[in-house]
Amino acid sequence: MNLTNHQVRLAARPTGLPDASSWEVTTELVPAPASNEFVVEVSHLSIDPAMRGWMNDVRSYIPPVEIGAVMRALALGQVTASEHPDFAVGDHVSGAFGVQEFARSDGSGVNKVDPALAPLPTYLGALGITGITAYFGLLDVGRLKEGETVVVSGAAGSVGSVAGQIAKLRGCRVIGIAGGPEKCAWTVDELTFDAAIDYKSEDVRQALRGHAPDRVDVFFDNVGGDVLDAVLTRLARGARIVISGGISQYNATQIRGPSNYLALIAARGTMTGFVVFDYLPRYQEAITELAGWLREGKLVSREHVVEGGVQAFPETLLKLFAGENIGKLVLAVS
Ligand code: NAP
């Protein structure tokens, strides 16, 4: 058995993109479980844009990661030792185990997952937090109605790809916005979106005139910045903008807000932020429906799995900001 536990800790708070000076790799002995605890060997780490925000010392929906602490990360793993009545050796579990090879847990926030029902990485994608974010963001915050025109940014990413598919399943016209021809082709050819706009080579506002002549009822925004500004100019009356995230601003030293927000007045529109954790009591509702669609072949879950172990975490995180992932970015650990 592996007796060492490699961990990635936050060494310094970055300005702009994190680099090597942001991180420290430490080695400890694998912990032993105390009474009512168990130890998990981490197999997969969820690589999330939100991690960049957790590195900042600012007030948010969750406290920042402290300097010197193991970097916070949602993860999957298998129980290797247990003194807990509800978790047995061999159980597959998901939880906030952090960027490390082994984690000790008292079971708080930990759920069992069944690798017989779906491949493990899917529990970080369509059946995980990003799938749940897409589900409640679109249906609850966005109050989606059948037949509406929906625009999704970050459309080939983890949240965006699921959000667009849910809108299709609800009978909507869906336009994705993504970076590059490969991502755009994937959303149309495999995810059956009605159209896609490559924001890196097209004028988004102009393209929306063609793809959404009746304007946009719901905009599920993952990126903010120029893309948000462009969609703001094409709102239908009563439009809802769902602020899921704003990845274009996560490394900015000066955040740029939307300059076209006054368009909300004429549209009688709303722009609403949300945090998926607030839906915790209703997670099962989303998972049941998402799992049903997956089982019936109505929902595609794509995971972009990078091999390399915890040492590869710093460079893997940067892939999100370079747009190298299609679908859910996952780092395989063991
Ligand atoms: P993701 O979309 O799988 O990956 C990030 C993608 O963002 C990249 O692949 C890239 O795609 C795009 N991107 C990067 N830099 C960009 C830029 N400057 N301008 C435009 N696009 C850029 O990530 P995810 O995990 O699904 O997360 C998507 C969003 O959901 C994030 O904003 C995240 O914070 C948010 N989120 C919110 C909640 C919540 O509770 N509100 C929960 C989970 C996630 P391109 O190649 O297309 O540029």
Short mmCIF file of all heavy atoms in Angstrom, two decimals, residues 62-122:
data_model
loop_
_atom_site.label_atom_id
_atom_site.label_comp_id
_atom_site.label_asym_id
_atom_site.label_seq_id
_atom_site.Cartn_x
_atom_site.Cartn_y
_atom_site.Cartn_z
N ILE A 62 -18.24 31.29 0.10
CA ILE A 62 -17.49 30.25 0.81
C ILE A 62 -16.18 30.91 1.25
O ILE A 62 -15.65 31.77 0.53
CB ILE A 62 -17.27 29.04 -0.13
CG1 ILE A 62 -16.83 27.79 0.61
CG2 ILE A 62 -16.30 29.36 -1.24
CD1 ILE A 62 -16.89 26.53 -0.27
N PRO A 63 -15.63 30.56 2.43
CA PRO A 63 -14.38 31.22 2.85
C PRO A 63 -13.24 30.90 1.89
O PRO A 63 -13.22 29.83 1.25
CB PRO A 63 -14.09 30.59 4.23
CG PRO A 63 -15.34 29.92 4.65
CD PRO A 63 -16.11 29.58 3.41
N PRO A 64 -12.26 31.80 1.77
CA PRO A 64 -11.12 31.50 0.89
C PRO A 64 -10.29 30.34 1.44
O PRO A 64 -10.35 30.05 2.64
CB PRO A 64 -10.30 32.80 0.92
CG PRO A 64 -10.74 33.54 2.14
CD PRO A 64 -12.14 33.12 2.43
N VAL A 65 -9.54 29.70 0.57
CA VAL A 65 -8.57 28.68 1.02
C VAL A 65 -7.46 29.44 1.73
O VAL A 65 -6.95 30.44 1.22
CB VAL A 65 -8.02 27.89 -0.19
CG1 VAL A 65 -6.94 26.91 0.25
CG2 VAL A 65 -9.16 27.16 -0.90
N GLU A 66 -7.10 28.98 2.93
CA GLU A 66 -6.03 29.66 3.69
C GLU A 66 -4.67 29.36 3.07
O GLU A 66 -4.47 28.28 2.50
CB GLU A 66 -6.04 29.19 5.15
CG GLU A 66 -7.30 29.55 5.92
CD GLU A 66 -7.50 31.05 6.06
OE1 GLU A 66 -6.50 31.80 6.06
OE2 GLU A 66 -8.67 31.48 6.14
N ILE A 67 -3.75 30.31 3.20
CA ILE A 67 -2.37 30.05 2.76
C ILE A 67 -1.83 28.87 3.57
O ILE A 67 -1.98 28.83 4.79
CB ILE A 67 -1.48 31.29 2.99
CG1 ILE A 67 -2.01 32.50 2.22
CG2 ILE A 67 -0.02 31.00 2.64
CD1 ILE A 67 -1.85 32.41 0.72
N GLY A 68 -1.24 27.92 2.88
CA GLY A 68 -0.68 26.74 3.56
C GLY A 68 -1.65 25.57 3.63
O GLY A 68 -1.26 24.45 3.96
N ALA A 69 -2.93 25.83 3.33
CA ALA A 69 -3.93 24.75 3.39
C ALA A 69 -3.92 23.93 2.10
O ALA A 69 -3.55 24.44 1.03
CB ALA A 69 -5.31 25.33 3.62
N VAL A 70 -4.35 22.67 2.20
CA VAL A 70 -4.55 21.85 1.00
C VAL A 70 -5.62 22.53 0.15
O VAL A 70 -6.66 22.96 0.66
CB VAL A 70 -4.99 20.42 1.39
CG1 VAL A 70 -5.38 19.62 0.15
CG2 VAL A 70 -3.89 19.71 2.16
N MET A 71 -5.35 22.66 -1.16
CA MET A 71 -6.30 23.32 -2.06
C MET A 71 -7.65 22.59 -2.04
O MET A 71 -7.70 21.37 -2.17
CB MET A 71 -5.72 23.35 -3.48
CG MET A 71 -6.61 24.04 -4.49
SD MET A 71 -6.92 25.79 -4.05
CE MET A 71 -8.30 26.13 -5.14
N ARG A 72 -8.71 23.37 -1.91
CA ARG A 72 -10.06 22.79 -1.89
C ARG A 72 -10.39 22.21 -3.26
O ARG A 72 -10.10 22.83 -4.29
CB ARG A 72 -11.06 23.88 -1.54
CG ARG A 72 -12.51 23.44 -1.49
CD ARG A 72 -13.43 24.63 -1.23
NE ARG A 72 -13.23 25.20 0.07
CZ ARG A 72 -13.16 26.52 0.32
NH1 ARG A 72 -13.30 27.40 -0.66
NH2 ARG A 72 -12.97 26.98 1.54
N ALA A 73 -10.99 21.03 -3.30
CA ALA A 73 -11.42 20.43 -4.57
C ALA A 73 -12.49 19.39 -4.29
O ALA A 73 -12.40 18.63 -3.32
CB ALA A 73 -10.24 19.76 -5.28
N LEU A 74 -13.49 19.37 -5.16
CA LEU A 74 -14.44 18.26 -5.14
C LEU A 74 -13.74 17.07 -5.77
O LEU A 74 -12.92 17.24 -6.68
CB LEU A 74 -15.70 18.60 -5.92
CG LEU A 74 -16.44 19.84 -5.41
CD1 LEU A 74 -17.60 20.19 -6.33
CD2 LEU A 74 -16.94 19.61 -3.99
N ALA A 75 -14.04 15.88 -5.30
CA ALA A 75 -13.28 14.72 -5.78
C ALA A 75 -14.08 13.44 -5.62
O ALA A 75 -15.11 13.40 -4.95
CB ALA A 75 -11.97 14.61 -4.99
N LEU A 76 -13.56 12.41 -6.27
CA LEU A 76 -14.10 11.05 -6.11
C LEU A 76 -13.00 10.18 -5.52
O LEU A 76 -11.81 10.43 -5.75
CB LEU A 76 -14.50 10.46 -7.45
CG LEU A 76 -15.53 11.19 -8.27
CD1 LEU A 76 -15.62 10.57 -9.66
CD2 LEU A 76 -16.90 11.12 -7.58
N GLY A 77 -13.39 9.14 -4.82
CA GLY A 77 -12.37 8.23 -4.30
C GLY A 77 -13.00 6.98 -3.74
O GLY A 77 -14.23 6.79 -3.83
N GLN A 78 -12.14 6.14 -3.18
CA GLN A 78 -12.60 4.88 -2.61
C GLN A 78 -12.13 4.78 -1.16
O GLN A 78 -10.98 5.13 -0.86
CB GLN A 78 -12.04 3.72 -3.44
CG GLN A 78 -12.84 2.46 -3.29
CD GLN A 78 -12.47 1.40 -4.32
OE1 GLN A 78 -11.48 1.54 -5.05
NE2 GLN A 78 -13.23 0.34 -4.37
N VAL A 79 -13.01 4.30 -0.31
CA VAL A 79 -12.66 4.18 1.11
C VAL A 79 -11.63 3.06 1.30
O VAL A 79 -11.83 1.94 0.83
CB VAL A 79 -13.94 3.90 1.95
CG1 VAL A 79 -13.58 3.68 3.42
CG2 VAL A 79 -14.94 5.04 1.80
N THR A 80 -10.50 3.41 1.96
CA THR A 80 -9.44 2.42 2.17
C THR A 80 -9.34 1.97 3.63
O THR A 80 -8.73 0.95 3.92
CB THR A 80 -8.06 2.98 1.75
OG1 THR A 80 -7.85 4.23 2.41
CG2 THR A 80 -7.98 3.18 0.24
N ALA A 81 -9.90 2.75 4.55
CA ALA A 81 -9.91 2.38 5.97
C ALA A 81 -11.10 3.07 6.59
O ALA A 81 -11.40 4.22 6.24
CB ALA A 81 -8.62 2.83 6.65
N SER A 82 -11.80 2.38 7.49
CA SER A 82 -12.99 3.02 8.06
C SER A 82 -13.22 2.65 9.52
O SER A 82 -13.13 1.49 9.91
CB SER A 82 -14.24 2.64 7.24
OG SER A 82 -15.38 3.29 7.77
N GLU A 83 -13.53 3.69 10.30
CA GLU A 83 -14.03 3.53 11.67
C GLU A 83 -15.40 4.19 11.76
O GLU A 83 -15.81 4.65 12.80
CB GLU A 83 -13.05 4.19 12.68
CG GLU A 83 -11.65 3.61 12.69
CD GLU A 83 -11.62 2.18 13.22
OE1 GLU A 83 -12.54 1.81 13.97
OE2 GLU A 83 -10.70 1.43 12.86
N HIS A 84 -16.05 4.27 10.59
CA HIS A 84 -17.35 4.97 10.50
C HIS A 84 -18.44 3.94 10.22
O HIS A 84 -18.29 3.11 9.32
CB HIS A 84 -17.29 6.00 9.35
CG HIS A 84 -18.39 7.00 9.36
ND1 HIS A 84 -19.70 6.67 9.12
CD2 HIS A 84 -18.38 8.34 9.59
CE1 HIS A 84 -20.45 7.76 9.20
NE2 HIS A 84 -19.67 8.79 9.49
N PRO A 85 -19.57 4.02 10.94
CA PRO A 85 -20.60 2.99 10.76
C PRO A 85 -21.25 2.99 9.38
O PRO A 85 -21.75 1.95 8.92
CB PRO A 85 -21.65 3.34 11.85
CG PRO A 85 -21.39 4.77 12.21
CD PRO A 85 -19.92 5.00 11.98
N ASP A 86 -21.24 4.13 8.69
CA ASP A 86 -21.97 4.22 7.42
C ASP A 86 -21.10 4.07 6.18
O ASP A 86 -21.61 4.09 5.06
CB ASP A 86 -22.71 5.57 7.33
CG ASP A 86 -23.67 5.76 8.48
OD1 ASP A 86 -24.18 4.73 8.97
OD2 ASP A 86 -23.89 6.92 8.90
N PHE A 87 -19.78 4.00 6.36
CA PHE A 87 -18.88 3.90 5.20
C PHE A 87 -17.95 2.71 5.38
O PHE A 87 -17.26 2.60 6.40
CB PHE A 87 -18.07 5.20 5.03
CG PHE A 87 -18.92 6.38 4.66
CD1 PHE A 87 -19.50 7.18 5.64
CD2 PHE A 87 -19.18 6.69 3.32
CE1 PHE A 87 -20.31 8.26 5.31
CE2 PHE A 87 -20.00 7.76 2.98
CZ PHE A 87 -20.56 8.55 3.97
N ALA A 88 -17.94 1.83 4.37
CA ALA A 88 -17.14 0.61 4.46
C ALA A 88 -15.98 0.67 3.47
O ALA A 88 -16.06 1.37 2.45
CB ALA A 88 -18.03 -0.60 4.13
N VAL A 89 -14.93 -0.07 3.78
CA VAL A 89 -13.80 -0.17 2.86
C VAL A 89 -14.32 -0.64 1.49
O VAL A 89 -15.12 -1.57 1.42
CB VAL A 89 -12.73 -1.14 3.42
CG1 VAL A 89 -11.67 -1.45 2.37
CG2 VAL A 89 -12.10 -0.55 4.67
N GLY A 90 -13.89 0.05 0.43
CA GLY A 90 -14.34 -0.31 -0.92
C GLY A 90 -15.44 0.59 -1.44
O GLY A 90 -15.67 0.64 -2.65
N ASP A 91 -16.14 1.32 -0.55
CA ASP A 91 -17.19 2.22 -1.03
C ASP A 91 -16.60 3.30 -1.94
O ASP A 91 -15.55 3.87 -1.64
CB ASP A 91 -17.88 2.94 0.15
CG ASP A 91 -18.88 2.07 0.87
OD1 ASP A 91 -19.18 0.96 0.37
OD2 ASP A 91 -19.36 2.48 1.96
N HIS A 92 -17.29 3.59 -3.04
CA HIS A 92 -16.92 4.74 -3.90
C HIS A 92 -17.70 5.96 -3.40
O HIS A 92 -18.92 5.87 -3.19
CB HIS A 92 -17.28 4.45 -5.36
CG HIS A 92 -16.41 3.39 -5.97
ND1 HIS A 92 -15.22 3.67 -6.57
CD2 HIS A 92 -16.57 2.05 -6.04
CE1 HIS A 92 -14.66 2.55 -7.00
NE2 HIS A 92 -15.47 1.55 -6.70
N VAL A 93 -16.99 7.06 -3.21
CA VAL A 93 -17.62 8.24 -2.61
C VAL A 93 -17.22 9.51 -3.35
O VAL A 93 -16.18 9.56 -4.00
CB VAL A 93 -17.23 8.37 -1.12
CG1 VAL A 93 -17.94 7.33 -0.27
CG2 VAL A 93 -15.72 8.28 -0.92
N SER A 94 -18.07 10.54 -3.21
CA SER A 94 -17.71 11.88 -3.70
C SER A 94 -17.76 12.85 -2.53
O SER A 94 -18.57 12.68 -1.61
CB SER A 94 -18.66 12.32 -4.81
OG SER A 94 -19.93 12.61 -4.26
N GLY A 95 -16.89 13.84 -2.56
CA GLY A 95 -16.87 14.84 -1.48
C GLY A 95 -15.77 15.85 -1.74
O GLY A 95 -15.02 15.75 -2.71
N ALA A 96 -15.67 16.82 -0.84
CA ALA A 96 -14.65 17.88 -0.99
C ALA A 96 -13.35 17.40 -0.34
O ALA A 96 -12.96 17.86 0.74
CB ALA A 96 -15.14 19.17 -0.36
N PHE A 97 -12.69 16.47 -1.01
CA PHE A 97 -11.51 15.82 -0.41
C PHE A 97 -10.22 16.62 -0.60
O PHE A 97 -9.21 16.32 0.04
CB PHE A 97 -11.34 14.41 -0.97
CG PHE A 97 -12.54 13.52 -0.71
CD1 PHE A 97 -13.12 12.77 -1.75
CD2 PHE A 97 -13.11 13.45 0.54
CE1 PHE A 97 -14.23 11.98 -1.51
CE2 PHE A 97 -14.23 12.65 0.79
CZ PHE A 97 -14.79 11.92 -0.25
N GLY A 98 -10.21 17.62 -1.49
CA GLY A 98 -9.03 18.46 -1.67
C GLY A 98 -8.03 17.85 -2.65
O GLY A 98 -8.15 16.68 -3.06
N VAL A 99 -7.03 18.68 -3.03
CA VAL A 99 -6.03 18.24 -4.00
C VAL A 99 -4.95 17.44 -3.25
O VAL A 99 -3.90 17.95 -2.86
CB VAL A 99 -5.42 19.43 -4.77
CG1 VAL A 99 -4.45 18.92 -5.84
CG2 VAL A 99 -6.52 20.26 -5.42
N GLN A 100 -5.25 16.19 -3.01
CA GLN A 100 -4.33 15.29 -2.30
C GLN A 100 -4.71 13.85 -2.65
O GLN A 100 -5.78 13.59 -3.19
CB GLN A 100 -4.40 15.52 -0.79
CG GLN A 100 -5.79 15.41 -0.20
CD GLN A 100 -5.83 15.75 1.29
OE1 GLN A 100 -4.80 15.79 1.95
NE2 GLN A 100 -7.02 15.99 1.82
N GLU A 101 -3.80 12.94 -2.33
CA GLU A 101 -4.02 11.54 -2.71
C GLU A 101 -4.91 10.79 -1.72
O GLU A 101 -5.62 9.85 -2.09
CB GLU A 101 -2.67 10.85 -2.86
CG GLU A 101 -1.90 11.39 -4.06
CD GLU A 101 -0.45 10.97 -4.09
OE1 GLU A 101 0.09 10.54 -3.04
OE2 GLU A 101 0.17 11.06 -5.16
N PHE A 102 -4.85 11.20 -0.47
CA PHE A 102 -5.68 10.56 0.56
C PHE A 102 -6.31 11.64 1.42
O PHE A 102 -5.67 12.66 1.72
CB PHE A 102 -4.82 9.65 1.47
CG PHE A 102 -4.32 8.42 0.78
CD1 PHE A 102 -3.12 8.45 0.08
CD2 PHE A 102 -5.04 7.23 0.84
CE1 PHE A 102 -2.65 7.31 -0.57
CE2 PHE A 102 -4.57 6.08 0.19
CZ PHE A 102 -3.37 6.13 -0.52
N ALA A 103 -7.54 11.41 1.84
CA ALA A 103 -8.22 12.40 2.70
C ALA A 103 -8.92 11.66 3.84
O ALA A 103 -9.43 10.55 3.66
CB ALA A 103 -9.24 13.18 1.88
N ARG A 104 -8.92 12.30 5.00
CA ARG A 104 -9.66 11.78 6.15
C ARG A 104 -11.00 12.49 6.18
O ARG A 104 -11.06 13.69 5.90
CB ARG A 104 -8.87 12.11 7.42
CG ARG A 104 -8.84 11.01 8.44
CD ARG A 104 -7.88 11.35 9.53
NE ARG A 104 -8.38 12.47 10.33
CZ ARG A 104 -7.70 13.01 11.32
NH1 ARG A 104 -6.50 12.56 11.62
NH2 ARG A 104 -8.21 14.00 12.02
N SER A 105 -12.05 11.78 6.51
CA SER A 105 -13.38 12.40 6.48
C SER A 105 -14.24 11.86 7.61
O SER A 105 -14.10 10.71 8.02
CB SER A 105 -14.05 12.09 5.13
OG SER A 105 -15.39 12.52 5.13
N ASP A 106 -15.16 12.73 8.10
CA ASP A 106 -16.17 12.26 9.07
C ASP A 106 -17.50 12.01 8.36
O ASP A 106 -18.52 11.77 9.00
CB ASP A 106 -16.33 13.27 10.21
CG ASP A 106 -16.86 14.62 9.72
OD1 ASP A 106 -17.18 14.75 8.52
OD2 ASP A 106 -16.96 15.54 10.55
N GLY A 107 -17.49 12.10 7.03
CA GLY A 107 -18.70 11.80 6.26
C GLY A 107 -19.53 13.02 5.92
O GLY A 107 -20.47 12.94 5.12
N SER A 108 -19.17 14.21 6.48
CA SER A 108 -19.97 15.41 6.18
C SER A 108 -19.83 15.75 4.69
O SER A 108 -18.72 15.86 4.18
CB SER A 108 -19.49 16.63 6.97
OG SER A 108 -19.34 16.29 8.30
N GLY A 109 -20.95 15.93 4.05
CA GLY A 109 -20.95 16.31 2.63
C GLY A 109 -20.47 15.21 1.70
O GLY A 109 -20.17 15.47 0.53
N VAL A 110 -20.37 13.99 2.20
CA VAL A 110 -19.88 12.88 1.37
C VAL A 110 -21.07 12.03 0.93
O VAL A 110 -21.97 11.73 1.72
CB VAL A 110 -18.87 12.01 2.16
CG1 VAL A 110 -18.46 10.79 1.34
CG2 VAL A 110 -17.65 12.85 2.53
N ASN A 111 -21.08 11.66 -0.36
CA ASN A 111 -22.13 10.80 -0.90
C ASN A 111 -21.52 9.57 -1.54
O ASN A 111 -20.43 9.65 -2.11
CB ASN A 111 -22.93 11.56 -1.97
CG ASN A 111 -23.74 12.68 -1.36
OD1 ASN A 111 -24.56 12.46 -0.48
ND2 ASN A 111 -23.47 13.90 -1.80
N LYS A 112 -22.24 8.47 -1.46
CA LYS A 112 -21.76 7.26 -2.15
C LYS A 112 -22.15 7.36 -3.62
O LYS A 112 -23.21 7.90 -3.95
CB LYS A 112 -22.39 6.01 -1.53
CG LYS A 112 -21.88 5.78 -0.11
CD LYS A 112 -22.38 4.49 0.46
CE LYS A 112 -22.09 4.50 1.96
NZ LYS A 112 -22.57 3.33 2.66
N VAL A 113 -21.29 6.85 -4.50
CA VAL A 113 -21.61 6.81 -5.93
C VAL A 113 -21.46 5.37 -6.40
O VAL A 113 -20.71 4.59 -5.81
CB VAL A 113 -20.70 7.76 -6.76
CG1 VAL A 113 -20.85 9.20 -6.31
CG2 VAL A 113 -19.24 7.34 -6.70
N ASP A 114 -22.20 5.05 -7.46
CA ASP A 114 -22.22 3.67 -7.94
C ASP A 114 -21.56 3.59 -9.31
O ASP A 114 -22.17 4.01 -10.31
CB ASP A 114 -23.66 3.18 -8.00
CG ASP A 114 -23.74 1.70 -8.36
OD1 ASP A 114 -22.70 1.13 -8.75
OD2 ASP A 114 -24.84 1.14 -8.24
N PRO A 115 -20.32 3.03 -9.40
CA PRO A 115 -19.65 2.97 -10.70
C PRO A 115 -20.33 2.03 -11.68
O PRO A 115 -20.03 2.05 -12.87
CB PRO A 115 -18.23 2.49 -10.35
CG PRO A 115 -18.31 1.92 -8.99
CD PRO A 115 -19.52 2.47 -8.31
N ALA A 116 -21.30 1.24 -11.20
CA ALA A 116 -22.03 0.35 -12.12
C ALA A 116 -23.08 1.13 -12.90
O ALA A 116 -23.49 0.72 -13.99
CB ALA A 116 -22.69 -0.79 -11.34
N LEU A 117 -23.52 2.27 -12.37
CA LEU A 117 -24.58 3.03 -13.04
C LEU A 117 -24.04 4.03 -14.06
O LEU A 117 -24.70 4.34 -15.04
CB LEU A 117 -25.42 3.78 -12.00
CG LEU A 117 -26.23 2.91 -11.03
CD1 LEU A 117 -27.06 3.78 -10.11
CD2 LEU A 117 -27.14 1.95 -11.80
N ALA A 118 -22.84 4.56 -13.81
CA ALA A 118 -22.23 5.53 -14.73
C ALA A 118 -20.73 5.51 -14.51
O ALA A 118 -20.27 5.20 -13.41
CB ALA A 118 -22.79 6.93 -14.47
N PRO A 119 -19.93 5.83 -15.55
CA PRO A 119 -18.48 5.90 -15.35
C PRO A 119 -18.17 6.93 -14.25
O PRO A 119 -18.85 7.95 -14.15
CB PRO A 119 -17.96 6.39 -16.71
CG PRO A 119 -19.06 6.15 -17.68
CD PRO A 119 -20.35 6.19 -16.91
N LEU A 120 -17.16 6.65 -13.44
CA LEU A 120 -16.90 7.52 -12.28
C LEU A 120 -16.82 9.01 -12.63
O LEU A 120 -17.46 9.84 -11.96
CB LEU A 120 -15.61 7.07 -11.57
CG LEU A 120 -15.79 5.88 -10.61
CD1 LEU A 120 -14.44 5.38 -10.11
CD2 LEU A 120 -16.70 6.25 -9.45
N PRO A 121 -16.05 9.43 -13.69
CA PRO A 121 -15.94 10.88 -13.93
C PRO A 121 -17.28 11.57 -14.20
O PRO A 121 -17.41 12.77 -13.97
CB PRO A 121 -15.02 10.95 -15.17
CG PRO A 121 -14.24 9.69 -15.13
CD PRO A 121 -15.18 8.65 -14.58
N THR A 122 -18.29 10.81 -14.64
CA THR A 122 -19.61 11.41 -14.88
C THR A 122 -20.20 11.97 -13.59
O THR A 122 -21.00 12.90 -13.60
CB THR A 122 -20.55 10.37 -15.53
OG1 THR A 122 -19.93 9.89 -16.72
CG2 THR A 122 -21.90 10.96 -15.88
#
